[in-house]
PDB file of all heavy atoms in Angstrom:
ATOM      1  N   TRP A  13       0.836  -1.196   0.005  1.00 96.00           N
ATOM      2  CA  TRP A  13       0.029   0.019   0.008  1.00 96.00           C
ATOM      3  C   TRP A  13       0.887   1.253   0.004  1.00 96.00           C
ATOM      4  O   TRP A  13       0.573   2.246  -0.697  1.00 96.00           O
ATOM      5  CB  TRP A  13      -0.965   0.025   1.194  1.00 96.00           C
ATOM      6  CG  TRP A  13      -2.057  -0.998   1.144  1.00 96.00           C
ATOM      7  CD1 TRP A  13      -2.490  -1.667   0.001  1.00 96.00           C
ATOM      8  CD2 TRP A  13      -2.889  -1.423   2.170  1.00 96.00           C
ATOM      9  NE1 TRP A  13      -3.490  -2.543   0.331  1.00 96.00           N
ATOM     10  CE2 TRP A  13      -3.771  -2.369   1.687  1.00 96.00           C
ATOM     11  CE3 TRP A  13      -2.947  -1.159   3.532  1.00 96.00           C
ATOM     12  CZ2 TRP A  13      -4.752  -3.030   2.431  1.00 96.00           C
ATOM     13  CZ3 TRP A  13      -3.920  -1.781   4.308  1.00 96.00           C
ATOM     14  CH2 TRP A  13      -4.788  -2.682   3.746  1.00 96.00           C
ATOM     15  N   ILE A  14       1.937   1.244   0.769  1.00 96.00           N
ATOM     16  CA  ILE A  14       2.878   2.411   0.811  1.00 96.00           C
ATOM     17  C   ILE A  14       3.507   2.575  -0.542  1.00 96.00           C
ATOM     18  O   ILE A  14       3.654   3.724  -1.100  1.00 96.00           O
ATOM     19  CB  ILE A  14       3.895   2.254   1.932  1.00 96.00           C
ATOM     20  CG1 ILE A  14       3.261   2.361   3.263  1.00 96.00           C
ATOM     21  CG2 ILE A  14       4.995   3.217   1.777  1.00 96.00           C
ATOM     22  CD1 ILE A  14       4.140   1.961   4.453  1.00 96.00           C
ATOM     23  N   SER A  15       3.880   1.494  -1.206  1.00 96.00           N
ATOM     24  CA  SER A  15       4.513   1.550  -2.534  1.00 96.00           C
ATOM     25  C   SER A  15       3.578   2.086  -3.559  1.00 96.00           C
ATOM     26  O   SER A  15       3.931   2.908  -4.423  1.00 96.00           O
ATOM     27  CB  SER A  15       4.994   0.158  -2.879  1.00 96.00           C
ATOM     28  OG  SER A  15       5.623   0.180  -4.157  1.00 96.00           O
ATOM     29  N   GLU A  16       2.313   1.645  -3.524  1.00 96.00           N
ATOM     30  CA  GLU A  16       1.299   2.211  -4.488  1.00 96.00           C
ATOM     31  C   GLU A  16       1.097   3.651  -4.272  1.00 96.00           C
ATOM     32  O   GLU A  16       1.029   4.419  -5.243  1.00 96.00           O
ATOM     33  CB  GLU A  16      -0.025   1.474  -4.292  1.00 96.00           C
ATOM     34  CG  GLU A  16      -0.025   0.015  -4.781  1.00 96.00           C
ATOM     35  CD  GLU A  16      -1.316  -0.694  -4.419  1.00 96.00           C
ATOM     36  OE1 GLU A  16      -2.283  -0.059  -4.038  1.00 96.00           O
ATOM     37  OE2 GLU A  16      -1.334  -1.945  -4.610  1.00 96.00           O
ATOM     38  N   ALA A  17       1.005   4.071  -3.038  1.00 96.00           N
ATOM     39  CA  ALA A  17       0.855   5.518  -2.768  1.00 96.00           C
ATOM     40  C   ALA A  17       2.063   6.329  -3.227  1.00 96.00           C
ATOM     41  O   ALA A  17       1.914   7.406  -3.787  1.00 96.00           O
ATOM     42  CB  ALA A  17       0.597   5.747  -1.262  1.00 96.00           C
ATOM     43  N   ALA A  18       3.264   5.766  -2.999  1.00 96.00           N
ATOM     44  CA  ALA A  18       4.510   6.409  -3.415  1.00 96.00           C
ATOM     45  C   ALA A  18       4.527   6.545  -4.937  1.00 96.00           C
ATOM     46  O   ALA A  18       4.985   7.596  -5.484  1.00 96.00           O
ATOM     47  CB  ALA A  18       5.765   5.714  -2.925  1.00 96.00           C
ATOM     48  N   ASP A  19       4.073   5.489  -5.657  1.00 97.00           N
ATOM     49  CA  ASP A  19       4.055   5.586  -7.148  1.00 97.00           C
ATOM     50  C   ASP A  19       3.132   6.696  -7.570  1.00 97.00           C
ATOM     51  O   ASP A  19       3.444   7.438  -8.527  1.00 97.00           O
ATOM     52  CB  ASP A  19       3.606   4.232  -7.721  1.00 97.00           C
ATOM     53  CG  ASP A  19       4.681   3.218  -7.709  1.00 97.00           C
ATOM     54  OD1 ASP A  19       5.856   3.545  -7.466  1.00 97.00           O
ATOM     55  OD2 ASP A  19       4.352   2.023  -7.931  1.00 97.00           O
ATOM     56  N   LYS A  20       1.997   6.815  -6.933  1.00 97.00           N
ATOM     57  CA  LYS A  20       1.042   7.844  -7.365  1.00 97.00           C
ATOM     58  C   LYS A  20       1.563   9.246  -6.947  1.00 97.00           C
ATOM     59  O   LYS A  20       1.370  10.222  -7.674  1.00 97.00           O
ATOM     60  CB  LYS A  20      -0.353   7.589  -6.683  1.00 97.00           C
ATOM     61  CG  LYS A  20      -1.039   6.416  -7.343  1.00 97.00           C
ATOM     62  CD  LYS A  20      -2.375   6.170  -6.739  1.00 97.00           C
ATOM     63  CE  LYS A  20      -2.974   4.911  -7.390  1.00 97.00           C
ATOM     64  NZ  LYS A  20      -4.220   4.526  -6.790  1.00 97.00           N
ATOM     65  N   LEU A  21       2.289   9.331  -5.858  1.00 96.00           N
ATOM     66  CA  LEU A  21       2.810  10.605  -5.455  1.00 96.00           C
ATOM     67  C   LEU A  21       3.975  11.039  -6.426  1.00 96.00           C
ATOM     68  O   LEU A  21       4.069  12.273  -6.731  1.00 96.00           O
ATOM     69  CB  LEU A  21       3.416  10.530  -4.052  1.00 96.00           C
ATOM     70  CG  LEU A  21       2.442  10.583  -2.923  1.00 96.00           C
ATOM     71  CD1 LEU A  21       3.135  10.156  -1.571  1.00 96.00           C
ATOM     72  CD2 LEU A  21       1.851  11.938  -2.789  1.00 96.00           C
ATOM     73  N   ASN A  22       4.767  10.121  -6.898  1.00 96.00           N
ATOM     74  CA  ASN A  22       5.876  10.426  -7.747  1.00 96.00           C
ATOM     75  C   ASN A  22       5.540  10.450  -9.242  1.00 96.00           C
ATOM     76  O   ASN A  22       6.401  10.654 -10.082  1.00 96.00           O
ATOM     77  CB  ASN A  22       6.999   9.414  -7.543  1.00 96.00           C
ATOM     78  CG  ASN A  22       7.709   9.634  -6.228  1.00 96.00           C
ATOM     79  OD1 ASN A  22       7.970  10.730  -5.822  1.00 96.00           O
ATOM     80  ND2 ASN A  22       7.939   8.556  -5.491  1.00 96.00           N
ATOM     81  N   ALA A  23       4.274  10.211  -9.548  1.00 95.00           N
ATOM     82  CA  ALA A  23       3.865  10.241 -10.982  1.00 95.00           C
ATOM     83  C   ALA A  23       4.197  11.562 -11.633  1.00 95.00           C
ATOM     84  O   ALA A  23       3.971  12.621 -11.072  1.00 95.00           O
ATOM     85  CB  ALA A  23       2.386   9.936 -11.109  1.00 95.00           C
ATOM     86  N   ARG A  24       4.748  11.507 -12.803  1.00 95.00           N
ATOM     87  CA  ARG A  24       5.045  12.652 -13.730  1.00 95.00           C
ATOM     88  C   ARG A  24       6.151  13.550 -13.163  1.00 95.00           C
ATOM     89  O   ARG A  24       6.442  14.546 -13.808  1.00 95.00           O
ATOM     90  CB  ARG A  24       3.757  13.469 -13.979  1.00 95.00           C
ATOM     91  CG  ARG A  24       2.812  12.743 -14.900  1.00 95.00           C
ATOM     92  CD  ARG A  24       1.589  13.490 -15.216  1.00 95.00           C
ATOM     93  NE  ARG A  24       0.545  13.464 -14.214  1.00 95.00           N
ATOM     94  CZ  ARG A  24      -0.132  12.375 -13.837  1.00 95.00           C
ATOM     95  NH1 ARG A  24       0.107  11.245 -14.360  1.00 95.00           N
ATOM     96  NH2 ARG A  24      -1.102  12.433 -12.876  1.00 95.00           N
ATOM     97  N   ILE A  25       6.764  13.235 -12.080  1.00 97.00           N
ATOM     98  CA  ILE A  25       7.892  14.064 -11.572  1.00 97.00           C
ATOM     99  C   ILE A  25       9.112  13.992 -12.552  1.00 97.00           C
ATOM    100  O   ILE A  25       9.723  14.946 -12.807  1.00 97.00           O
ATOM    101  CB  ILE A  25       8.263  13.734 -10.138  1.00 97.00           C
ATOM    102  CG1 ILE A  25       7.145  14.271  -9.200  1.00 97.00           C
ATOM    103  CG2 ILE A  25       9.577  14.367  -9.753  1.00 97.00           C
ATOM    104  CD1 ILE A  25       7.390  14.110  -7.762  1.00 97.00           C
ATOM    105  N   LEU A  26       9.306  12.797 -13.081  1.00 97.00           N
ATOM    106  CA  LEU A  26      10.447  12.637 -14.019  1.00 97.00           C
ATOM    107  C   LEU A  26      10.184  13.434 -15.287  1.00 97.00           C
ATOM    108  O   LEU A  26      11.065  14.076 -15.844  1.00 97.00           O
ATOM    109  CB  LEU A  26      10.640  11.146 -14.398  1.00 97.00           C
ATOM    110  CG  LEU A  26      11.824  10.834 -15.207  1.00 97.00           C
ATOM    111  CD1 LEU A  26      13.075  11.299 -14.587  1.00 97.00           C
ATOM    112  CD2 LEU A  26      11.857   9.341 -15.561  1.00 97.00           C
ATOM    113  N   LEU A  27       8.909  13.496 -15.738  1.00 97.00           N
ATOM    114  CA  LEU A  27       8.535  14.312 -16.923  1.00 97.00           C
ATOM    115  C   LEU A  27       8.779  15.781 -16.605  1.00 97.00           C
ATOM    116  O   LEU A  27       9.225  16.523 -17.445  1.00 97.00           O
ATOM    117  CB  LEU A  27       7.118  14.026 -17.344  1.00 97.00           C
ATOM    118  CG  LEU A  27       6.621  14.696 -18.594  1.00 97.00           C
ATOM    119  CD1 LEU A  27       7.537  14.341 -19.823  1.00 97.00           C
ATOM    120  CD2 LEU A  27       5.207  14.288 -18.895  1.00 97.00           C
ATOM    121  N   ILE A  28       8.411  16.197 -15.385  1.00 97.00           N
ATOM    122  CA  ILE A  28       8.615  17.640 -15.018  1.00 97.00           C
ATOM    123  C   ILE A  28      10.115  17.945 -15.041  1.00 97.00           C
ATOM    124  O   ILE A  28      10.545  18.970 -15.561  1.00 97.00           O
ATOM    125  CB  ILE A  28       7.986  17.895 -13.651  1.00 97.00           C
ATOM    126  CG1 ILE A  28       6.463  17.810 -13.735  1.00 97.00           C
ATOM    127  CG2 ILE A  28       8.402  19.240 -13.163  1.00 97.00           C
ATOM    128  CD1 ILE A  28       5.770  17.800 -12.430  1.00 97.00           C
ATOM    129  N   LYS A  29      10.898  17.030 -14.457  1.00 97.00           N
ATOM    130  CA  LYS A  29      12.351  17.279 -14.438  1.00 97.00           C
ATOM    131  C   LYS A  29      12.949  17.282 -15.869  1.00 97.00           C
ATOM    132  O   LYS A  29      13.919  18.033 -16.130  1.00 97.00           O
ATOM    133  CB  LYS A  29      13.032  16.171 -13.614  1.00 97.00           C
ATOM    134  CG  LYS A  29      12.823  16.314 -12.120  1.00 97.00           C
ATOM    135  CD  LYS A  29      13.521  15.152 -11.445  1.00 97.00           C
ATOM    136  CE  LYS A  29      13.981  15.532 -10.049  1.00 97.00           C
ATOM    137  NZ  LYS A  29      14.713  14.456  -9.435  1.00 97.00           N
ATOM    138  N   THR A  30      12.383  16.463 -16.762  1.00 97.00           N
ATOM    139  CA  THR A  30      12.831  16.481 -18.141  1.00 97.00           C
ATOM    140  C   THR A  30      12.544  17.825 -18.788  1.00 97.00           C
ATOM    141  O   THR A  30      13.377  18.384 -19.531  1.00 97.00           O
ATOM    142  CB  THR A  30      12.190  15.304 -18.907  1.00 97.00           C
ATOM    143  OG1 THR A  30      12.504  14.101 -18.254  1.00 97.00           O
ATOM    144  CG2 THR A  30      12.640  15.322 -20.340  1.00 97.00           C
ATOM    145  N   CYS A  31      11.343  18.376 -18.504  1.00 96.00           N
ATOM    146  CA  CYS A  31      11.034  19.678 -19.039  1.00 96.00           C
ATOM    147  C   CYS A  31      11.961  20.744 -18.555  1.00 96.00           C
ATOM    148  O   CYS A  31      12.399  21.670 -19.232  1.00 96.00           O
ATOM    149  CB  CYS A  31       9.571  20.110 -18.744  1.00 96.00           C
ATOM    150  SG  CYS A  31       8.332  19.143 -19.645  1.00 96.00           S
ATOM    151  N   VAL A  32      12.281  20.695 -17.257  1.00 97.00           N
ATOM    152  CA  VAL A  32      13.204  21.624 -16.644  1.00 97.00           C
ATOM    153  C   VAL A  32      14.609  21.556 -17.343  1.00 97.00           C
ATOM    154  O   VAL A  32      15.186  22.546 -17.683  1.00 97.00           O
ATOM    155  CB  VAL A  32      13.386  21.367 -15.100  1.00 97.00           C
ATOM    156  CG1 VAL A  32      14.529  22.178 -14.566  1.00 97.00           C
ATOM    157  CG2 VAL A  32      12.064  21.759 -14.385  1.00 97.00           C
ATOM    158  N   ALA A  33      15.003  20.285 -17.575  1.00 96.00           N
ATOM    159  CA  ALA A  33      16.353  20.123 -18.179  1.00 96.00           C
ATOM    160  C   ALA A  33      16.376  20.503 -19.656  1.00 96.00           C
ATOM    161  O   ALA A  33      17.408  20.920 -20.186  1.00 96.00           O
ATOM    162  CB  ALA A  33      16.763  18.671 -18.021  1.00 96.00           C
ATOM    163  N   ILE A  34      15.245  20.342 -20.314  1.00 97.00           N
ATOM    164  CA  ILE A  34      15.229  20.635 -21.759  1.00 97.00           C
ATOM    165  C   ILE A  34      15.121  22.113 -22.091  1.00 97.00           C
ATOM    166  O   ILE A  34      15.567  22.495 -23.196  1.00 97.00           O
ATOM    167  CB  ILE A  34      14.096  19.789 -22.399  1.00 97.00           C
ATOM    168  CG1 ILE A  34      14.579  19.256 -23.755  1.00 97.00           C
ATOM    169  CG2 ILE A  34      12.831  20.539 -22.569  1.00 97.00           C
ATOM    170  CD1 ILE A  34      13.659  18.178 -24.317  1.00 97.00           C
ATOM    171  N   CYS A  35      14.568  22.903 -21.207  1.00 95.00           N
ATOM    172  CA  CYS A  35      14.426  24.360 -21.495  1.00 95.00           C
ATOM    173  C   CYS A  35      15.738  25.062 -21.810  1.00 95.00           C
ATOM    174  O   CYS A  35      15.780  25.742 -22.840  1.00 95.00           O
ATOM    175  CB  CYS A  35      13.698  25.046 -20.318  1.00 95.00           C
ATOM    176  SG  CYS A  35      11.943  24.735 -20.279  1.00 95.00           S
ATOM    177  N   PRO A  36      16.775  24.906 -21.067  1.00 95.00           N
ATOM    178  CA  PRO A  36      18.056  25.552 -21.440  1.00 95.00           C
ATOM    179  C   PRO A  36      18.599  25.017 -22.764  1.00 95.00           C
ATOM    180  O   PRO A  36      19.219  25.749 -23.538  1.00 95.00           O
ATOM    181  CB  PRO A  36      18.987  25.237 -20.297  1.00 95.00           C
ATOM    182  CG  PRO A  36      18.172  24.779 -19.181  1.00 95.00           C
ATOM    183  CD  PRO A  36      16.910  24.251 -19.746  1.00 95.00           C
ATOM    184  N   LEU A  37      18.380  23.741 -23.050  1.00 95.00           N
ATOM    185  CA  LEU A  37      18.833  23.170 -24.286  1.00 95.00           C
ATOM    186  C   LEU A  37      18.107  23.763 -25.489  1.00 95.00           C
ATOM    187  O   LEU A  37      18.738  24.024 -26.552  1.00 95.00           O
ATOM    188  CB  LEU A  37      18.738  21.646 -24.308  1.00 95.00           C
ATOM    189  CG  LEU A  37      19.535  20.943 -23.177  1.00 95.00           C
ATOM    190  CD1 LEU A  37      19.210  19.429 -23.186  1.00 95.00           C
ATOM    191  CD2 LEU A  37      20.993  21.198 -23.389  1.00 95.00           C
ATOM    192  N   ILE A  38      16.839  23.971 -25.350  1.00 94.00           N
ATOM    193  CA  ILE A  38      16.059  24.664 -26.401  1.00 94.00           C
ATOM    194  C   ILE A  38      16.603  26.049 -26.562  1.00 94.00           C
ATOM    195  O   ILE A  38      16.726  26.549 -27.692  1.00 94.00           O
ATOM    196  CB  ILE A  38      14.581  24.644 -26.131  1.00 94.00           C
ATOM    197  CG1 ILE A  38      14.046  23.185 -26.041  1.00 94.00           C
ATOM    198  CG2 ILE A  38      13.790  25.405 -27.148  1.00 94.00           C
ATOM    199  CD1 ILE A  38      12.617  23.079 -25.485  1.00 94.00           C
TER     200      ILE A  38
END
C-alpha cells in the first residue's frame, strides 16, 4: 500500500524534471 501511494505521489515528476532540463537546451 505504501509503494502504491508512493508511485502515485511520484507520478510525472520525471517528466517535469525532463522539461526543466530541456528548457536551457532549447
Side-chain angles (χ1 to χ4, degrees):
W13 289 344
I14 291 169
S15 180
E16 287 174 13
D19 283 347
K20 289 180 182 175
L21 283 168
N22 288 316
R24 289 180 280 292
I25 288 183
L26 186 59
L27 183 57
I28 293 169
K29 286 177 151 184
T30 302
C31 288
V32 168
I34 219 167
C35 282
L37 298 175
I38 297 168

